[in-house]
Amino acid sequence: QQQVKQSPQSLIVQKGGISIINCAYENTAFDYFPWYQQFPGKGPALLIAIRPDVSEKKEGRFTISFNKSAKQFSLHIMDSQPGDSATYFCALTGGGSNYKLTFGKGTLLTVNP
Amino acid sequence: DAGITQSPRHKVTETGTPVTLRCHQTENHRYMYWYRQDPGHGLRLIHYSYGVKDTDKGEVSDGYSVSRSKTEDFLLTLESATSSQTSVYFCAISESDYGYTFGSGTRLTVV
């Protein structure tokens, strides 16, 4: 079964705009919520991550917002740039799972110049 | 990618043949994982290892086996390749829940 639902599947944003990608999960046992960025032909790379004891984490133009009661977390990319065009995956792990990550299906972000 | 290499990068094989993909790390990380990536499905866990000779199944393990005889190497074998196993395969390593480091992937085509 799918434990994390990611939306939208694709997103087109103008340069300078805000990109928002959402994920919702079902099980409350998770305790680590990373986001990965993947460029064509490359493996995913860790972008930013959050734990459920905080509601927001910001690193540069990238912010994760976390709503534990709603079991949702989102990635916000401020001042989006063409170089941000990539596929973004949310993921989660926890509960003594040998650090196995369960991934969302991904969002293809295109930032137009 | 730092400390993790996958081989081969590309492979075309025929249906019914066995195929082995290799993941090699120089980071001495305990945990290693094999994922497959397919359009519309994201990344799905095939098998993982939590130590030498310690492996377990992921969500899409049917038709795949793994072995880890050394810390640095994690092998994924398709016992009898099928067209449904055409995919991009990624290996990842981890030492904690802080995050994975992924390899560059192997693009496998089964004809």
Side-chain angles (χ1 to χ4, degrees), chain A residues 3-65:
Chain A
Q3 297 194 69
V4 56
K5 295 184 179 181
Q6 184 172 345
S7 62
Q9 285 187 314
S10 62
L11 180 61
I12 300 175
V13 175
Q14 292 300 119
K15 179 181 176 181
I18 301 174
S19 304
I20 302 174
I21 303 170
N22 300 299
C23 282
Y25 60 100
E26 299 168 353
N27 190 316
T28 57
F30 302 115
D31 57 13
Y32 177 67
F33 302 85
W35 285 86
Y36 283 79
Q37 179 187 54
Q38 183 181 30
F39 294 106
K42 303 291 187 181
L46 179 64
L47 181 64
I48 187 173
I50 197 169
R51 296 193 186 276
D53 53 347
V54 298
S55 60
E56 186 175 284
K57 182 175 181 179
K58 183 176 181 180
E59 290 184 1
R61 295 183 295 108
F62 300 91
T63 300
I64 299 179
S65 297

Side-chain angles (χ1 to χ4, degrees), chain B residues 45-95:
Chain B
L45 181 65
I46 305 171
H47 281 279
Y48 66 100
S49 170
Y50 46 96
V52 173
K53 297 186 179 176
D54 292 324
T55 65
D56 205 350
K57 297 179 180 180
E59 63 178 299
V60 291
S61 60
D62 287 349
Y64 301 94
S65 62
V66 290
S67 66
R68 190 170 179 198
S69 58
K70 299 183 291 185
T71 298
E72 56 266 35
D73 290 323
F74 192 31
L75 304 180
L76 176 70
T77 297
L78 287 65
E79 294 141 8
S80 177
T82 67
S83 59
S84 65
Q85 293 175 313
T86 291
S87 185
V88 180
Y89 291 86
F90 286 100
C91 176
I93 60 175
S94 175
E95 188 57 36

Side-chain angles (χ1 to χ4, degrees), chain B residues 1-7 21-34 48-54 67-75 91-96 99-104:
Chain B
D1 288 299
I4 177 171
T5 55
Q6 291 184 234
S7 59
L21 309 183
R22 181 181 184 236
C23 179
H24 178 78
Q25 62 149 328
T26 58
E27 303 296 318
N28 201 37
H29 283 349
R30 177 182 176 189
Y31 300 93
M32 299 185 76
Y33 311 84
W34 277 107
Y48 66 100
S49 170
Y50 46 96
V52 173
K53 297 186 179 176
D54 292 324
S67 66
R68 190 170 179 198
S69 58
K70 299 183 291 185
T71 298
E72 56 266 35
D73 290 323
F74 192 31
L75 304 180
C91 176
I93 60 175
S94 175
E95 188 57 36
S96 71
Y100 290 4
T101 300
F102 280 87
S104 298

